[in-house]
Structures are given as structure tokens and as C-alpha cells.
Amino acid sequence: MSLRIENLSVHHGAIHAVNDISFTVPKGQLAALIGANGAGKTTLLRTLSGLTKSSHGTAHWNSLNLLQSKPENSVRNGVSHVSEGKSVIPELTVEENLEIGALWRRNRKEMIESKKSVIEIFPRLGERLSQRADTLSGGERQMLALSRSLMSKPELLLLDEPSLGLAPLVVEQIFQSIRELTTSMGITVLLVEQNAMGALKIADVGIVLNLGKVAVSGSASTLMADPQVRAAYLGY
Amino acid sequence: MFQILNTFLIGITSGSIYALMAISMVLVWRSTRVVNFAQAGMALLSTYFGYEVVNRFDSYWLALPVAMISGAVVAAFIELVFMRVLLKHSNSGPIASIAPIIATLGLLGLIKAFIGFFWGNQDVNIESPLSTVGFSIGTQTLSLSPMKLLILIAVSMLLLVLTFVFQKTNIGLALRASAYAPEISRLAGIKVDLVRTFGWALAGAAGGAAGMLQTANGNGALSPDSLEFSLLLAFGFIAAVIGGLDSLLGAVFGALLLGLVLAFVLTYVGGSLVFITAFVLLLVVLIVRPAGLISQKAGRRA
Ligand SMILES: Nc1ncnc2c1ncn2[C@@H]1O[C@H](COP(=O)(O)OP(=O)(O)OP(=O)(O)O)[C@@H](O)[C@H]1O
Ligand SMILES: [Mg+2]
């Protein structure tokens, strides 16, 4: 049971955005994927969820061939991707944003149960169920995007920069919730982050991308101690 | 005073039929971002199916749902085998943005030719199931006949059903989500392609109803080159644009407004100015409020 990526390459026209990447994330671990702007992090996640076509290599979640599976089918197999930016639908209410994550299960009862359990994790959403999503603050929207994803009961979560544009205190909160998901619910997480320090602090393993290639990888604590990584990516 | 009331009734009745057409334009626009000029042809074809039922079973009441169902099937078929392929292949290049629109015009011609081939180019007739003679109050005749009353009731019911489907059902939520944010919807597990086909089917059903009601409201004549259907398309489109093209509520509002304005122009100014008024109204809205009179974007923050 793991996320396995082997020799994966992705092109945007002539740009080789993901260049021969290989790594494995064992089940139940939180992996931080860090790297500078344009390193290929978003491209990698979009390829794993089936939004972008790969040009070479393989990627599997357990026995599911991620590169052959459309996003709407990957969700049905336990893989959920929260895309970059505050990934909510502003015209819908908070409750509707939650519900769309569980429509595919066609089970009213399970939907209500899932809603209850995500509201337990993020009580602020519970107080705002009938509000339109565009009335939420940035942090609340990020919580909503994460909750929508949880509504589909994922086993593997692909998160693209959940800390984007949030105040430090809110970032802390979101990171703690993500850590909780792995620890208490056993969800495997691939967390893409610009906030390298914050991400490595909560992660089990870290992968540093540079110009589409894996520059360094290893346990999160090793990476944080590595002087080269500190200088290049952690800024001290 | 009585004339004002009658003009109002005429406007509301024709406006409610435009509303069905406008709704079908909006549904297609929301699900695939295509302005579907073939909608007139699709509505016409469904109405011909309705005509067949009237002809064989002598029942308008059976023909109306048959026209709606066949409209849904035809629309779903067109989306599946035609538009889906077309949109996939025309996503780049200089004509990418207009190719689908041109294609719907081609489709319109194709459907008309098809109808001419099967039913001939002469008029056929659908008789009104109810009297088209207005109720009378004392010595005066009201511009509200049993048929017009049926139209108002039928359209109101269809609108209620549609509102219920959109606001209260899972498929309605999927339709709205897919229209606003297809990518997020796919990531949430919604089969957006399937939802699109369903959106087209709903549009086809609304078009079929519009065609049947319009024909019974007019002189009952039906032909491949029916002017009535071309007008229905034009007015439905204008109404949809007035309403912002993205909003079902806006489409209904635009259609009723258009129906009323045209009825008053017809009664108090003159028949020759009706079309001019319709297009002037369209231009004014496009210039003054290009997002439509009821704009959904208004409440939308970045
Ligand atoms: N749709 C696209 N078309 C063309 N080039 C693209 C596209 N998406 C990404 N790229 C290019 O691919 C490279 C990797 O981009 P990507 O968005 O994956 O980086 P990233 O690591 O997520 O960056 P950031 O931290 O800024 O989000 C960049 O050079 C980018 O310009
Ligand atoms: Mg990115």
C-alpha cells in the first residue's frame, strides 16, 4: 500500500516541467513536496490526479494506475486532489461545496454522516453552512476545500499549497489539521508547499524538487538538518 | 384600461413561451459554453414528433410530453456524438472560439433539411387542444383563451419543476457545480461529461415544450422554414442575453420583459416596429449592462 512514482516525465509543449521523477510514499505517511516557483510541483499533482497527461513513466496508488484514471474515477478509488488556489465554488453555499464531494457515492445517509464528521474537524464551517462560499475568509475557504475533499473519504490526499495567502496563525492551524488527518485517520498525504519549513515540521518525509527533478529526498528531520537544504530552501 | 390588460396578457403569454426557449439557450450555454443556434431546429424537430403523435393518436396531451422527451433525446444525442467531439478538436487555433457556433448553424440547416426530407416542405397542422377564443367579460373579449391559460399554467409548472431540480436535487447541484467550475467538480468526483449531456437533454425538453406551445398558440402551422420558430429562436436568445445568459431566473425575467415590451409596441406603436424594438433592446442591454440585467457576477468576489 503506497504511492509509487517511477521515472515520471511531463511536458507542457517544449517545457519539461517534470523530468524523470521517482519516489515512493508509504501508506499513512505525510510527504512534503517542496521547491521554488516553477519547480513542477503543481504539474506533478495535476498529473497524479489525471488532469494533465504525462509523457513518460508510471504512477500508482496501490493497484490503481493513476496515469490512466480520470480525476472523477480516481476519487472513487480513494485519491483526492485539492488544487492550487482556494479551490471552492464561490457561487455555491458552504454546505453545497461540501456536498459535491460526496455526490458520487449516491448515498444520502453517508453524505450526512460525512458532513457531520468534517464539521467536527472544522466547526467554523458548521456555523456558515448556508452562506455562499465567496463570503468566507481565505483561511475558511481553504478549510472548506480540504473538507470537500474529506467528504469523499480519501485514502490519498494530494494538497497543493494549502497555506497560500494565509496569515501565519491560520497556516499553523491548517498544518495541524493536515497532520491530524494522517495521524488519526491514517490518510496518506502528499503536501505541496512553498512554506518549506512549516511543511517539513509536520511531515514524515520530504522531497525537494528543482527544475522538474528530485534534488534531495529523505526523512523530514534529516532534510531540516541538512545545511545545503537549509541554505537553498529554508532560507537560513 | 381594458386594452392595457389585454396587451399585458398577450405579452405575458408570448413571454412565457420565450422563457422556455431562453432557458434552453441558458442550459446549453451553462453546460458547454456554446450559443446553440440549432435550438430552433431541435425544437422544430421535437414539435414534428409531437405532430406525429397528434396525427396518430389525436391527443395533444400525449404529444406534449412526447415532444419534450424526443427533444431531450435529440439534444443528448447531438451533444454526445457531435458537440463533444467538436469541442475536443477545436480547442486551439484562430477559429476555436467561433467554430462551435458556426457548427450549430450548420446543424440548424441539417435538421431543417432532415425535416423537409421526412415530412415535406409544405405546412402541416397541429390543432389547438383547447379553444383559442378569449373569455368574455360582459361585451368585451379578454385576450386570455383556454389555450393561453394552459400555456401560462404549463410554463409555470415547468419552471417550478426546473427550479426544484436545480435547487433541491443532487443532479441539480451537479449541474450548477459543473457549470461554475468544471475542474473542481471533476476533482470532487462529478462526471462532468455526463452532467453536460443531461444539461443538453433538459434544454431539448424545454425547447420541445416551447415548440408545441408556440405552435398551438399561433395558427397551428408547422413547416421546416417556419418563421415562427426563427422568431422563437431570436426572441429566446435575446431574452437569454438580457438575463445574462448564465442565469435561469434572468432568462425568465428577460423573456417576460421582452414579451411585454413587444406586446405594448405592437398595440400602441405599430407592428412594423416590433423587430426593431427587440433588437434595440438587445443592443441597449449589451452596451449598458453587458453581463445582463440580472447579473450573477455581481455578488462574486475574486
Ligand atoms: N499549462 C501550462 N502551459 C505551459 N507551461 C506550463 C503550464 N503549467 C505549468 N507550466 C510551466 O511548467 C513549469 C512548472 O510549473 P508548475 O506550475 O508545476 O510549478 P510549481 O512548482 O507548482 O510552481 P509554484 O510554486 O509557483 O506554484 C513552469 O515553468 C511553468 O511555467
Ligand atoms: Mg504550483
Side-chain angles (χ1 to χ4, degrees):
Chain A
M1 297 274 275
S2 59
L3 168 67
R4 297 180 310 282
I5 298 168
E6 277 159 34
N7 305 110
L8 187 65
S9 282
V10 186
H11 287 83
H12 292 297
I15 299 171
H16 204 161
V18 168
N19 189 350
D20 197 30
I21 282 182
S22 304
F23 65 85
T24 300
V25 181
K27 181 182 155 51
Q29 295 222 334
L30 199 171
L33 186 67
I34 59 181
N37 288 119
K41 307 180 296 294
T42 296
T43 303
L44 177 62
L45 281 206
R46 290 177 64 88
T47 308
L48 294 181
S49 66
L51 288 171
T52 300
K53 289 260 165 299
S54 63
S55 34
H56 185 78
T58 63
H60 289 86
W61 166 247
N62 301 334
S63 59
L64 176 71
N65 183 344
L66 292 171
L67 305 183
Q68 297 292 324
S69 175
K70 293 178 180 170
E72 57 270 31
N73 292 326
S74 294
V75 174
R76 287 166 171 73
N77 287 290
V79 180
S80 182
H81 175 189
V82 180
S83 51
E84 198 172 6
K86 291 160 195 87
S87 177
V88 301
I89 303 181
E91 294 90 345
L92 300 184
T93 65
V94 170
E95 185 164 23
E96 288 168 339
N97 267 284
L98 290 177
E99 287 182 352
I100 60 170
L103 283 182
W104 62 269
R105 273 195 270 134
R106 293 166 194 264
N107 186 331
R108 194 83 215 158
K109 235 167 112 191
E110 272 187 50
M111 180 187 277
I112 292 168
E113 277 163 23
S114 302
K115 234 184 322 194
K116 259 199 202 130
S117 63
V118 298
I119 289 171
E120 259 167 47
I121 304 176
F122 298 111
R124 285 169 66 169
L125 295 179
E127 295 155 19
R128 293 165 169 75
L129 284 180
S130 54
Q131 255 171 259
R132 265 171 62 129
D134 56 6
T135 63
L136 296 184
S137 73
E140 289 161 353
R141 279 192 216 193
Q142 198 57 64
M143 289 174 199
L144 180 55
L146 199 57
S147 302
R148 194 237 4 263
S149 172
L150 293 178
M151 289 290 290
S152 63
K153 295 192 183 158
E155 299 164 5
L156 172 64
L157 257 184
L158 307 170
L159 302 179
D160 201 342
E161 294 202 45
S163 76
L164 193 70
L166 302 185
L169 220 68
V170 184
V171 172
E172 187 86 4
Q173 221 179 326
I174 294 265
F175 279 176
Q176 279 317 315
S177 314
I178 293 170
R179 181 66 246 182
E180 274 295 296
L181 297 178
T182 312
T183 315
S184 61
M185 298 170 75
I187 299 175
T188 310
V189 178
L190 182 58
L191 170 66
V192 161
E193 263 304 328
Q194 282 288 339
N195 182 344
M197 196 61 209
L200 284 177
K201 268 189 191 157
I202 57 161
D204 299 305
V205 294
I207 300 140
V208 180
L209 279 195
N210 189 21
L211 298 176
K213 283 179 176 292
V214 176
V216 203
S217 70
S219 82
S221 48
T222 320
L223 286 188
M224 278 191 289
D226 184 329
Q228 248 179 312
V229 174
R230 294 175 79 115
Y233 302 102
L234 304 181
Y236 64 94
Chain B
M1 189 55 213
F2 202 76
Q3 196 180 24
I4 293 183
L5 176 64
N6 271 348
T7 310
F8 178 82
L9 286 170
I10 292 173
I12 287 289
T13 316
S14 47
S16 65
I17 299 178
Y18 305 157
L20 288 179
M21 202 62 182
I23 279 177
S24 69
M25 307 289 292
V26 169
L27 284 171
V28 163
W29 171 256
R30 280 166 58 123
S31 56
T32 39
R33 299 286 145 187
V34 171
V35 174
N36 182 17
F37 288 117
Q39 195 67 63
M42 289 155 63
L44 191 61
L45 182 58
S46 331
T47 309
Y48 266 92
F49 284 124
Y51 158 75
E52 277 299 318
V53 173
V54 173
N55 217 5
R56 278 161 211 239
F57 304 99
D58 198 25
S59 167
Y60 184 90
W61 309 111
L62 182 62
L64 185 58
V66 166
M68 290 177 67
I69 292 168
S70 60
V73 172
V74 167
F77 177 80
I78 288 175
E79 196 281 327
L80 261 174
V81 306
F82 188 73
M83 295 312 291
R84 193 174 288 191
V85 181
L86 186 88
L87 290 173
K88 219 161 248 170
H89 288 277
S90 70
N91 52 12
S92 61
I95 62 157
S97 57
I98 54 161
I101 297 174
I102 306 278
T104 65
L105 283 171
L107 204 57
L108 178 59
L110 202 67
I111 294 174
K112 284 185 172 178
F114 177 86
I115 292 172
F117 182 79
F118 275 95
W119 282 282
N121 289 314
Q122 309 82 351
D123 282 5
V124 299
N125 262 285
I126 297 181
E127 243 174 79
S128 291
L130 295 174
S131 163
T132 52
V133 179
F135 298 110
S136 43
I137 300 177
T139 55
Q140 309 242 38
T141 308
L142 211 54
S143 288
L144 181 70
S145 58
M147 185 62 217
K148 280 198 162 52
L149 195 59
L150 166 73
I151 290 171
L152 288 174
I153 293 171
V155 173
S156 314
M157 272 171 36
L158 288 174
L159 292 181
L160 280 178
V161 169
L162 214 55
T163 309
F164 178 81
V165 168
F166 263 83
Q167 296 300 331
K168 300 284 176 215
T169 67
N170 284 350
I171 182 70
L173 179 55
L175 274 164
R176 283 182 293 140
S178 308
Y180 292 131
E183 189 174 289
I184 293 178
S185 299
R186 291 185 76 192
L187 292 176
I190 296 172
K191 296 195 167 166
V192 172
D193 281 348
L194 213 65
V195 171
R196 282 194 174 130
T197 310
F198 184 74
W200 272 70
L202 274 185
M212 285 299 288
L213 295 176
Q214 173 74 5
T215 306
N217 190 39
N219 58 8
L222 205 57
S223 77
D225 291 312
S226 163
L227 177 66
E228 295 233 351
F229 275 77
S230 305
L231 291 182
L232 191 58
L233 176 77
F235 292 159
F237 175 67
I238 293 173
V241 172
I242 291 175
L245 208 51
D246 235 341
S247 152
L248 291 171
L249 192 68
V252 174
F253 175 79
L256 293 179
L257 181 73
L258 186 65
L260 284 174
V261 168
L262 296 188
F264 277 93
V265 168
L266 182 66
T267 309
Y268 293 98
V269 187
S272 55
L273 282 179
V274 168
F275 297 121
I276 299 175
T277 309
F279 288 103
V280 167
L281 199 60
L282 173 68
L283 290 177
V284 168
V285 169
L286 284 179
I287 291 166
V288 180
R289 279 196 72 120
L293 290 184
I294 292 189
S295 158
Q296 294 216 320
K297 294 246 156 54
R300 186 174 180 169
R301 284 189 251 145

